[in-house]
Structures are given as C-alpha cells and as structure tokens.
Amino acid sequence: MSSVTDRKVSPASKNPFNEWRELPPICSDVRQKQRLTIDTLPPEVKAPFPSDPVIPLRTKTTKEFQEDMERAVQSGDWREVREFYLTTFDSFIEINAAFKANGSFNTIDDSGVNAKFVNAVYDALLSTPQDIQKSVLKGIINSLLREWKGPRTKDDLRAYFILVQNPQYSSTSTYVIYAHLLRQIAALSEADHHFLVHWLKKLSARRFRQLVERLLQFISTRLFPAEPDELPPLAKCSWWIPSATKVLSLFNAANSISSPPIMPFTDFYNITLEHIDFMEEYRTWQNYGNSSRFSFCQFPFILSTVVKKAIIQKDSEQQMISQARQSLVSKVSRRQRVDMNLLFLNIKVRRAQLLSDSLDELMRKRCDLKKKLRVTFVGEAGLDMGGLTKEWFLLLVRQIFHTDYGMFTYMKDSRCHWFSSWKCDNYSEFQLVGTLMGLAVYNSIALDIHFPLYCYRKLLTPPTAPCDQNALVGMTTASLDDLQQIMPELAHGLGELLSYEGNVEEDFYLTFQVFQEEMGMVKSYNLKPGGDKIPVTKQNRKEYVQLYVDFLLNKSIYKQFAAFYHGFHSVCASDALMLLRPEEVEMLVCGSPELDMSALQKAAQYEGYSKTDTTVRCFWDVVLAFPLELQKKLLHFATGSDRVPVGGMADLNFKISKIDVPTDWLPISHTCFNQICLPPYRTRKELKQKLTIAISNAEGFGLE
C-alpha cells in the first residue's frame, strides 16, 4: 500500500477521498457483552505523547479577527479573512498555531485551546463567501490525508478536537469529509480518547448538544438518505456508522462524568434506530461479542427504551416459545395427551389467600416462568385475555408493599420503599417480589412500585445472574448521594459530620457501632471488628460514613436483596439486560407515572362512536378536567394499570365503545382490551357522575 503522506495533494483535487481504501481501518473497540462504561486508564496505558513539533507564531486575537470580519462585511473585501481561513485550516500545525493558547498544558482537563477564538471563527464561517467555506473544507481534506499516519502528539489531538466542532458538517455535501474525520478520531488510542472525553466535557452545553445532534443526524441520514444518490453507496462506506457511533460514545462518556450531566441521557437516543432490524443487531452482538463486527448493541446509550423493550420482549417471546415447545415435545414423545395448558404459566389463586396462593403457585411452577402468563381467580368466571393478569399484579403488589406486612419500609421523606432489615429463616417472599417484577417485564405489565434508583443499580450488579449461587450479587458501591435517595435526613446528618469543624470525637461521641430497630427490638452492629470500642474522629470519619452507608444499603439487607435479585433474574435471564441503564429498568418495570390525557385523546380509537359525538366530547371534557388522582383511577379502570407504558399513551391502543343500554347504567370496561364502554349519556353532568362512581369502585370485577 502506498503512503498517503508521500503523495502530493492538490487543493483543487476533485475528491481526494475517492482513495478511502488507503486510509487506516477503524479500530473497533467492541465490548464483549459488558456494559459500556467510561474508560478508567491504568498508569501504563497513559503513555507520554511524542514531543510536539515547532509551531509557527500566529498572533491574531479574537477581537482582531472580529474586526477583520466587520470590515469585510462592510467593504466587500474578503482578502484578509480569506487568507486567515486558508492558512489556519491548511494543516494540523497551522490549526494549533492559530488556536493554541499560550502556556504549558499538562492535565487532561485543559486542552490548551483558546475556546473563545475557536467559537468566533466557526460562528463567522457560515456567513463568509462560498469560496472561503470551500477553501476550509479543502484544507481539512489535505490535513486529514497528511496526518493519519504516525504517532499522535497532543497538538494532533487539539486539531481533532477543533475540527470536530466545525459547523459545516451539518450539510450532507460535507459528509464524506466528516466521515473521514470521524474515522480518524475513532481510530485513536484509548489514552487519546481519554483526553478527548475530558476536553469535550468543557464545551458549553449549547455547543456540546449541537455536536451530539450533528452526529445523530449523520447516523440517521446514512441509514436513511433522503435521496438515493445523496451519499456514496453504503457498501463502499460501511465504516461511516461505526466511526460516528464510536465518536458519539466519547460524547456520552463526557456527559456521564459531568456532574450534573450536560444533557439528559435520553437525548443520546437515536429514534431512527426504531425502524431498523434491531433484532439482527442484537443477534450480531450476541454471536460476535468481542470482534470487529459492529452492532449498535455495543453502544446501548444510542438505543431508545422503546427499542430495548422490544428486544427484551422478542427475546422473551423466543424463550417462551422454546419452553412451550420443549413441554410439547416431551408430552408427544411419551405418547401422552397434549393439554394446551402446557403452553402457559397458569396461576390459579383465591382472592382471600392471594399472597400465599401466588407464592405456592410460582414456587411449584418455577420451571414454567418463561411461558406466557395466564391468571385465574378461583370461583370467578372469565378468560384471561390480559386484564386478569394485570389485576393480579396490581392486587399482589398492593398487598406486599403494605406497611402492615413488614417486608418493605415506606420512607416518607423520599416517598419510596426500601427493604426491611429484619432477619428470618426464609426469604422466599422477597424472591416472589423479584419474580413478580421479572414476570411484569417479561409480560409487558407496568407495576406501581416505588423503589429508589439505587435499587435498580443493585439489580444490574451483575446484569446477568452468576452461575455460582454463592457469588455475591447486588453489592454496588454506595455513596452518600445514594443514601440521599432513600433516607435524606440521615444522609444530611452524615454530611454534616463530614464537614464539621469542631472536635468530632467529643462532640458527636460516636463509635463504629450502629443500632437498628428490627421487629420492635433495637439491635447493635459493629461496622468493623471491635467497632464498639473505636471512636469516630476527624481522621476516620470518612471511613465511618462509608461503612455506615454500605451497611444500610448493602450488608444489612443482603439476604433479602439476594433473594429478590435471584427471583427477578430467574425470569429475566437475558443478555438484553446488559443494554439497560438503571433508569431504563425502572421504566420497564413501572412504566411512567406521568399521565398525558391529551396524548391519550389523540391516540384513542372509537367503536360505535365518532370523536365528534356528544358523549365522546363530554367524556374528554370531563377527563381532561379531572384531578390527577381520578385520571389515574380512570386509567386503572380501563387498562388494569394506572401507569403509562414505555412507548407512551399511543401504545395503550385505548378504545371507547358504545353500548346500547339505558343511561342510568354505569360505564363498564374490558381491561384486557384497554377498552371503556359508555352508554349514550346526553349531558356532561350525567357522564361525570356515572364515570366517577364507576372508576372509584372498580376493583374486584375482573370479568373479561
């Protein structure tokens, strides 16, 4: 292969990137089925940079450049501005000469780039004549062709950092150049990426967001170009999307290490990916793991919760089908009569003994957990088309989390539930709760559960259950911020201990021993051996706080949480869980409590009515005016749950149907079909009265 750097490149060359096969391949840092996290580099990886080349002296300031621009705009004479852009973007050395600030920069947090000057030059670029804009692009082409070989200096990194901010890449006509820039950045070493991540997080929130959105748009356009001939054939540039996604992962890493994050993690989702064959992506990721075969699943931050939910559902369906097929084949091979109930996880419970019956059924049928769930309430007519299942979940969760039951403690200050620390010989009921949560995800049921986010972090530690039953699970590093989610008052007190300026030992009079109330009795626990004889001092208070927080959130509830963890993973034993953030697991388990009745109105379907009929107009007038509590009751009445699925209200397929009965009848619902049936009420007052009575007294019917 000939060296690109030895070639003479003409600025006027038609398309230097026609020779892209001679550029280096992208270094695809593919993770082997593990969560993509920020790289923490060991010292040996942080190799010193080669010595920087001599940089010519360029003295133009931001103010001088802005004055040059003003003169050019007024006079129409762009010669000085043209010369500046032509020179500055001619090479990496010239880029550094123009934008490198004075002084020595030895930390990862300081790029040594004059950000104010870079911003001024780029903000002005799109308002310059076309020939200047073209000259900048030609300069970048020549720089990239010249610079891709050899070891990287810190000045090279600065040049990449500056070039990736160029606003010209918003146009598809520049995508070939942009793609090669992204390819070279993606192929940098791990140590180089470490520097870039820390530099990127220093960008303003507005510019950071613009760069993220530009990368997302680039990926979307490459996947689905507006015009067939708008971009080169996909077969010749299959590396575009992997390169862009890898660079986007640097922005995601920068966002993750920023406190608070620069932008919500959901803004990294690319909704275009909801329209690709994401199961093929998932299978590629499962089959090729640590290889050069690209899959979006290697970079799960880009996949929306909608896609992840669909992957889990389809993966679950495959497991369900596999389980059912095995049962069927086993029966046939033994020449036994085939009962179609074999295809389901059939749960039969009595309402009066709901909890004990459910526990017995799930323990007895634990080999069938991955079959389709079907619930029957003993002594009640009705075929479970989904509504009875939803009601079973709702009633069971309500009973388990009742404060009188004692499994969970409701924290009033944080308005969430946490595991009770009482000790017992059998933690099967905690396993039941975990199994319930797993079944809810598996069967796409939203539960009204209020765990803190830290609980879902524990649930993903590790994201797949270890084969060794004795291996530790759920032992996530706990911080004061995590305790703040659950016990804010205690977290505040421990924070005051850490910042106290006086004599800690004499004024607080604490030891490394803590006390907990369990079933009405106060018990003491040493945070370390001999803790009751070790005083807390100014020197060891950090250790005390860390051990105390770890005790509260991990050790004191370990057996309870381990049973809960194994219950959840006995159902959701899927590689797809590795794609999820704790926040996304919470969304899958609980749905969203945010109700948008206007969105429900837009998505509603009608049977026997049209949206202009008097009854329908009265219905929406009443519902939109309802307080939140009644809106939740309405949703529960019609769907069996008062929460919104991951895909939003549109995913409910909510239907309003007409029933020809007298108007003194109450509305009825078919929760399995997310359907509400309304008699032809004539007035708003009449409809409001009847609807309020129906939704306030709905529990216990369950007839489908």
Side-chain angles (χ1 to χ4, degrees), residues 508-526:
F508 283 85
Y509 202 66
L510 294 167
T511 65
F512 277 72
Q513 184 182 55
V514 293
F515 301 89
Q516 268 197 336
E517 185 179 333
E518 296 175 8
M519 307 296 281
M521 295 177 61
V522 176
K523 294 190 176 182
S524 62
Y525 296 92
N526 285 347

Side-chain angles (χ1 to χ4, degrees), residues 522-573:
V522 176
K523 294 190 176 182
S524 62
Y525 296 92
N526 285 347
L527 297 178
K528 58 193 294 189
D532 56 325
K533 297 180 176 62
I534 303 172
V536 176
T537 66
K538 202 167 190 175
Q539 287 70 40
N540 66 16
R541 60 185 172 179
K542 281 187 179 178
E543 181 191 11
Y544 169 79
V545 169
Q546 182 56 51
L547 289 173
Y548 193 10
V549 172
D550 185 56
F551 171 79
L552 289 170
L553 303 189
N554 287 318
K555 290 179 180 171
S556 69
I557 58 157
Y558 179 76
K559 289 185 178 178
Q560 294 90 320
F561 191 86
F564 172 78
Y565 174 96
H566 286 295
F568 180 81
H569 287 273
S570 67
V571 186
C572 288

Side-chain angles (χ1 to χ4, degrees), residues 77-192:
D77 183 355
W78 291 88
R79 280 177 295 181
E80 195 164 347
V81 172
R82 182 180 289 106
E83 183 59 32
F84 169 80
Y85 277 109
L86 201 61
T87 303
T88 299
F89 290 95
D90 183 57
S91 68
F92 280 17
I93 290 176
E94 287 291 352
I95 289 171
N96 275 274
F99 298 118
K100 188 176 178 180
N102 295 324
S104 178
F105 307 96
N106 299 315
T107 68
I108 58 173
D109 287 318
D110 195 342
S111 65
V113 169
N114 185 339
K116 186 179 177 183
F117 194 15
V118 172
N119 293 342
V121 169
Y122 279 146
D123 288 346
L125 178 56
L126 296 183
S127 61
T128 62
Q130 283 296 311
D131 66 306
I132 294 179
Q133 295 185 41
K134 287 178 181 177
S135 71
V136 169
L137 293 172
K138 287 177 182 177
I140 293 171
I141 290 170
N142 292 335
S143 298
L144 292 176
L145 284 170
R146 191 183 300 119
E147 297 290 344
W148 67 263
K149 275 197 167 184
R152 291 284 166 230
T153 67
K154 201 166 182 182
D155 284 334
D156 292 334
L157 283 192
R158 282 191 197 93
Y160 284 126
F161 176 60
I162 292 164
L163 288 177
V164 81
Q165 299 178 54
N166 188 329
Q168 292 176 287
Y169 308 133
S170 296
S171 167
T172 54
S173 62
T174 64
Y175 271 14
V176 172
I177 303 169
Y178 190 33
H180 281 275
L181 171 63
L182 297 176
R183 185 188 214 184
Q184 291 190 20
I185 294 173
L188 293 170
S189 70
E190 189 179 1
D192 292 346

Side-chain angles (χ1 to χ4, degrees), residues 492-700:
H492 178 72
L494 292 174
E496 288 191 331
L497 170 64
L498 290 175
S499 59
Y500 188 65
E501 296 291 341
N503 189 315
V504 171
E505 186 175 354
E506 291 183 4
D507 295 348
F508 283 85
Y509 202 66
L510 294 167
T511 65
F512 277 72
Q513 184 182 55
V514 293
F515 301 89
Q516 268 197 336
E517 185 179 333
E518 296 175 8
M519 307 296 281
M521 295 177 61
V522 176
K523 294 190 176 182
S524 62
Y525 296 92
N526 285 347
L527 297 178
K528 58 193 294 189
D532 56 325
K533 297 180 176 62
I534 303 172
V536 176
T537 66
K538 202 167 190 175
Q539 287 70 40
N540 66 16
R541 60 185 172 179
K542 281 187 179 178
E543 181 191 11
Y544 169 79
V545 169
Q546 182 56 51
L547 289 173
Y548 193 10
V549 172
D550 185 56
F551 171 79
L552 289 170
L553 303 189
N554 287 318
K555 290 179 180 171
S556 69
I557 58 157
Y558 179 76
K559 289 185 178 178
Q560 294 90 320
F561 191 86
F564 172 78
Y565 174 96
H566 286 295
F568 180 81
H569 287 273
S570 67
V571 186
C572 288
S574 170
D575 287 341
L577 284 176
M578 298 180 197
L579 306 176
L580 297 172
R581 295 172 59 102
E583 297 93 336
E584 293 169 329
V585 179
E586 182 180 26
M587 282 286 286
L588 289 177
V589 170
C590 304
S592 171
E594 301 298 322
L595 304 190
D596 182 355
M597 287 298 173
S598 296
L600 186 64
Q601 182 183 11
K602 288 176 184 172
Q605 303 166 29
Y606 300 96
E607 190 176 88
Y609 284 122
S610 73
K611 62 182 178 182
T612 57
D613 287 340
T614 301
T615 303
V616 170
R617 284 191 284 111
C618 288
F619 174 82
W620 288 116
D621 286 346
V622 168
V623 169
L624 293 174
F626 267 161
L628 179 61
E629 200 53 44
L630 282 180
Q631 288 182 343
K632 284 191 169 189
K633 285 185 176 182
L634 169 70
L635 203 62
H636 173 228
F637 175 72
T639 71
S641 171
D642 63 0
R643 296 170 79 91
V644 183
V646 166
M649 289 291 198
D651 275 11
L652 284 174
N653 294 319
F654 177 68
K655 182 184 283 187
I656 298 175
S657 298
K658 184 176 184 178
I659 46 170
D660 290 316
V661 295
T663 56
D664 58 350
W665 281 44
L666 296 176
I668 62 173
S669 66
H670 300 293
T671 53
C672 58
F673 300 116
N674 296 336
Q675 182 179 23
I676 188 168
C677 302
L678 299 175
Y681 302 120
R682 299 180 191 87
T683 67
R684 188 177 184 276
K685 182 180 178 181
E686 184 181 30
L687 187 145
K688 182 178 181 180
Q689 182 191 20
K690 295 290 194 293
L691 183 61
T692 304
I693 293 170
I695 65 178
S696 300
N697 299 275
E699 187 179 307

Side-chain angles (χ1 to χ4, degrees), residues 411-430:
M411 305 294 182
K412 290 182 180 177
D413 291 341
S414 54
R415 293 160 69 177
C416 70
H417 287 96
W418 192 242
F419 296 78
S420 294
S421 56
W422 52 267
K423 306 295 184 287
C424 65
D425 297 327
N426 187 354
Y427 294 95
S428 59
E429 289 181 343
F430 286 99

Side-chain angles (χ1 to χ4, degrees), residues 468-502:
D468 181 2
Q469 283 292 312
N470 296 317
L472 289 176
V473 296
M475 295 293 283
T476 308
T477 303
S479 69
L480 212 50
D481 288 340
D482 297 318
L483 187 64
Q484 178 75 29
Q485 296 175 19
I486 306 161
M487 307 169 195
E489 197 173 319
L490 178 57
H492 178 72
L494 292 174
E496 288 191 331
L497 170 64
L498 290 175
S499 59
Y500 188 65
E501 296 291 341

Side-chain angles (χ1 to χ4, degrees), residues 58-91:
R58 300 282 182 256
T59 59
K60 191 177 289 290
T61 64
T62 305
K63 186 179 179 183
E64 289 169 347
F65 170 77
Q66 289 171 334
E67 288 171 351
D68 290 345
M69 278 295 297
E70 286 173 16
R71 280 195 299 272
V73 170
Q74 290 169 5
S75 67
D77 183 355
W78 291 88
R79 280 177 295 181
E80 195 164 347
V81 172
R82 182 180 289 106
E83 183 59 32
F84 169 80
Y85 277 109
L86 201 61
T87 303
T88 299
F89 290 95
D90 183 57
S91 68

